[in-house]
Amino acid sequence: MKVSVSSGINAEYGGGDEVNFNCWNTTEEITEYMAKKGYPRTEDGFMELWNEYQETALARFQRANNGKLKDMILWTSHMTEPQFLKYLDPKVYTVQYWERS
């Protein structure tokens, strides 16, 4: 899993609005990784994988900022639905609301 972060910045944009579980489910490298980790190929399993990515990105962002937690920004997405907000610490994450145009 590759995560790249810049140092000395106040916020990190994490995207999130274009995560596609169908793509993940048909990518051998991802499904093999999920099997190795014991993640089922279900919505919950894909959310666990996504959460693992978010935790890795957050840890690298924190290291790049000398141990300080700064603002992580995500678009509204599957991750920001009420049943999955348990993955996002409100002290760290800002959700940028995407309204249909």
Side-chain angles (χ1 to χ4, degrees), residues 31-67:
T31 57
E32 287 176 358
Y33 180 82
M34 290 179 71
K36 186 173 92 174
K37 297 288 284 188
Y39 297 155
R41 288 168 66 179
T42 62
E43 179 182 54
D44 287 337
F46 290 117
M47 292 307 293
E48 284 296 326
L49 179 63
W50 191 355
N51 182 58
E52 182 180 329
Y53 170 83
Q54 287 300 138
E55 287 177 351
T56 300
L58 182 60
R60 290 182 182 189
F61 182 47
Q62 186 174 9
R63 273 195 309 273
N65 283 287
N66 299 315

Side-chain angles (χ1 to χ4, degrees), residues 20-32 34 41 46 49:
N20 186 322
F21 294 160
N22 291 327
C23 179
W24 288 4
N25 199 29
T26 58
T27 304
E28 187 175 346
E29 182 179 20
I30 292 174
T31 57
E32 287 176 358
M34 290 179 71
R41 288 168 66 179
F46 290 117
L49 179 63

Side-chain angles (χ1 to χ4, degrees), residues 78-90:
H78 207 73
M79 179 67 84
T80 64
E81 291 178 7
Q83 69 271 31
F84 300 116
L85 286 176
K86 63 185 178 186
Y87 294 119
L88 304 175
D89 182 346

